[in-house]
């Protein structure tokens, strides 16, 4: 059971759904329509005490579900204070988790790629797509509708810069966009996008139009919203490269070593060099200021990369 959303004329409509198997694919069906405001089903008794008024309704429909399960489903619709308290006081259950046996072949490569990028924030997931990580079992026994809502929720947690990288990686654009012209990048994106839409094994019984209109249109919005940001990324990368090059000369350390260094390592390198260049130790005041400036630039790169 999961909560699905659907874009409708500038807002989302929500529904409680479940996935079921109907050969040859997993499909989805609506259990209950929640409308545009699922939070209306939450009754608050105080700032953090609440109940979700669906237990009896679902029982009448033949579904046995308790408040704990409903709380997990409706967590994102709770007030921020209630979310904070739940997160703070919820402890992992000390029950040994039984690993679900699955075959990596049962999961579509595009789903595997997306999950790996979201999990590890990597630039080349193809190298590890053959590995059956236990968390990939989350992608089995789900309809396309449930999978897309699952990914949608995870993607919403990404920061803006992370979304750019994510989009470029999953559509195989990361290593292309700095080297080709914008319209060529657009064409490759559209081609890769359409290949996935036309893949019947990916659609799992949905039509191309339904998959695009309900789910995949978000990637089109993301791409053409972010394409304007690409020149800024190029400028940032050039700036980043120049900072590392300048720092390499000041610290007398290879660029590769500086790129690998952690923030703690940078502090050690800075302190060592600061002792040499500090005016009280006979160093140059101008060089010491330059050292501090380049150190702060490196810290910013490490913090926000």
């Amino acid at each position: 059971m999961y909560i699905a959303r659907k874009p409708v004329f500038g807002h989302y409509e929500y529904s409680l759904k479940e996935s079921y198997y109907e050969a040859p694919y997993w499909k989805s069906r609506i259990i209950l329509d929640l409308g545009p405001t699922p939070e209306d089903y939450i009754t608050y008794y105080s700032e953090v005490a609440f109940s979700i008024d669906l237990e009896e309704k679902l029982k009448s429909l033949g579904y046995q579900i308790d408040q704990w399960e409903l709380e997990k489903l409706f967590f994102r619709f709770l007030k921020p204070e209630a979310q904070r308290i739940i997160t703070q006081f919820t402890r992992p259950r000390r029950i040994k988790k039984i690993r679900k046996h699955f075959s990596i072949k049962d999961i579509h490569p595009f789903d595997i790629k997306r999950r790996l990028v979201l999990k590890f924030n990597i630039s080349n997931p193809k190298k590890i797509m053959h590995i059956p990580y236990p968390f990939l079992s989350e992608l089995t026994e789900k309809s396309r509708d449930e999978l897309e809502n699952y990914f949608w929720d995870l993607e919403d947690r990404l920061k803006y810069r992370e979304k750019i990288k994510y989009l470029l990686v999953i559509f195989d654009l990361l290593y292309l966009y700095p080297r080709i012209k914008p319209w060529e990048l657009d064409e490759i994106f559209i081609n890769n996008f359409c290949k996935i839409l036309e893949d019947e094994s990916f659609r799992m019984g949905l039509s191309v139009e339904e998959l695009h209109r309900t789910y995949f249109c978000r990637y089109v919005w993301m791409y053409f919203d972010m394409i304007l940001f690409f020149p800024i990324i190029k400028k940032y990368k050039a700036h980043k490269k120049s900072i590392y090059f300048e720092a390499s000369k000041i610290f007398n350390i290879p660029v590769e070593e500086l790129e690998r260094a952690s923030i703690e390592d940078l502090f050690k390198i800075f302190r060592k060099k600061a002792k040499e260049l500090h005016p009280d130790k006979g160093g140059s005041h101008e060089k010491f200021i330059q050292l501090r400036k380049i150190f702060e630039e490196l810290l910013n790169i490490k913090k926000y990369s």
Side-chain angles (χ1 to χ4, degrees):
M1 196 177 292
Y2 63 99
I3 293 179
R5 56 177 151 172
K6 183 178 180 180
V8 180
F9 300 113
H11 71 278
Y12 291 120
E13 291 284 339
Y14 296 88
S15 56
L16 199 58
K17 288 186 171 184
E18 68 174 349
S19 293
Y20 66 97
Y21 185 72
E22 186 178 289
Y25 303 118
W26 282 83
K27 298 184 178 180
S28 64
R29 58 187 164 213
I30 295 176
I31 299 171
L32 197 64
D33 183 16
L34 301 175
T37 52
E39 53 269 25
D40 291 346
Y41 292 91
I42 305 171
T43 300
Y44 288 92
Y45 305 106
S46 69
E47 192 66 24
V48 294
F50 63 90
S51 66
I52 298 163
D53 308 326
L54 283 175
E55 200 170 341
E56 293 302 321
K57 176 70 174 175
L58 290 170
K59 279 182 182 177
S60 69
L61 294 172
Y63 296 93
Q64 295 295 325
I65 186 168
D66 58 23
Q67 281 292 319
W68 169 254
E69 293 296 325
L70 285 170
E71 183 182 294
K72 288 196 291 183
L73 286 171
F74 279 79
F75 181 81
R76 61 181 142 149
F77 302 108
L78 295 173
K79 291 179 180 178
E81 183 63 17
Q83 289 183 354
R84 187 185 67 80
I85 294 296
I86 289 169
T87 305
Q88 183 178 348
F89 290 99
T90 301
R91 296 287 181 267
R93 294 184 176 183
R94 294 187 178 182
I95 300 173
K96 190 174 180 181
K97 199 171 181 180
I98 300 171
R99 285 194 175 182
K100 186 177 174 183
H101 295 286
F102 70 99
S103 171
I104 199 80
K105 294 177 182 177
D106 295 336
I107 307 172
H108 195 278
F110 189 65
D111 291 332
I112 297 172
K113 186 194 294 184
R114 286 189 289 178
R115 190 65 188 96
L116 290 174
V117 177
L118 287 164
K119 180 74 173 178
F120 300 125
N121 190 27
I122 51 179
S123 302
N124 189 6
K126 290 181 180 179
K127 292 181 179 179
I128 57 172
M129 283 178 65
H130 64 284
I131 302 174
Y133 292 103
F135 63 84
L136 290 176
S137 65
E138 299 167 1
L139 306 179
T140 60
E141 298 180 2
K142 284 181 171 66
S143 63
R144 177 49 52 196
D145 179 82
E146 185 172 1
L147 284 168
E148 290 311 313
N149 277 280
Y150 170 82
F151 281 112
W152 208 338
D153 291 341
L154 291 176
E155 289 161 7
D156 281 348
R157 300 174 195 174
L158 296 175
K159 296 176 183 176
Y160 191 75
R161 193 180 293 276
E162 292 171 335
K163 277 189 179 180
I164 295 174
K165 180 183 176 182
Y166 170 74
L167 187 76
L168 293 173
V169 172
I170 64 173
F171 286 103
D172 301 323
L173 304 173
L174 186 65
Y175 299 107
L176 295 175
Y177 88 89
R179 300 180 178 89
I180 62 176
K181 295 173 181 177
W183 56 88
E184 293 174 330
L185 190 72
D186 294 348
E187 187 177 348
I188 294 169
F189 167 72
I190 292 167
N191 286 338
N192 293 347
F193 181 85
C194 291
K195 277 181 189 176
I196 297 164
L197 282 181
E198 291 165 3
D199 186 345
E200 174 62 29
S201 64
F202 180 80
R203 297 202 313 270
M204 297 170 70
L206 296 179
S207 67
V208 172
E209 183 185 357
E210 186 179 0
L211 181 63
H212 176 261
R213 186 181 66 249
T214 308
Y215 314 105
F216 262 47
C217 58
R218 73 184 189 272
Y219 290 132
V220 177
W221 298 337
M222 284 168 64
Y223 178 81
F224 287 104
D225 180 42
M226 293 172 184
I227 196 75
L228 299 173
F229 194 64
F230 290 168
I232 300 172
I233 298 174
K234 289 183 182 180
K235 188 177 178 181
Y236 169 76
K237 286 196 170 184
H239 171 71
K240 182 177 170 181
K241 191 174 180 180
S242 68
I243 291 297
Y244 273 119
F245 183 72
E246 190 178 345
S248 175
K249 291 193 293 183
I250 292 172
F251 291 110
N252 197 25
I253 293 173
V255 171
E256 295 77 13
E257 192 174 327
L258 285 172
E259 287 176 336
R260 289 195 301 267
S262 64
I263 290 177
E264 291 77 13
D265 294 333
L266 285 181
F267 271 103
K268 289 177 185 177
I269 294 167
F270 169 72
R271 290 189 188 108
K272 185 177 178 181
K273 197 68 179 176
K275 287 178 182 178
E276 296 176 20
L277 299 181
H278 199 283
D280 294 344
K281 300 288 183 179
S284 165
H285 181 70
E286 290 179 0
K287 286 186 177 180
F288 186 75
I289 291 173
Q290 188 183 12
L291 174 70
R292 282 195 62 86
K293 186 178 177 182
I294 202 71
F295 172 66
E296 287 169 4
E297 292 276 10
L298 283 174
L299 279 183
N300 285 332
I301 289 171
K302 292 292 181 182
K303 284 178 183 177
Y304 301 111
S305 291

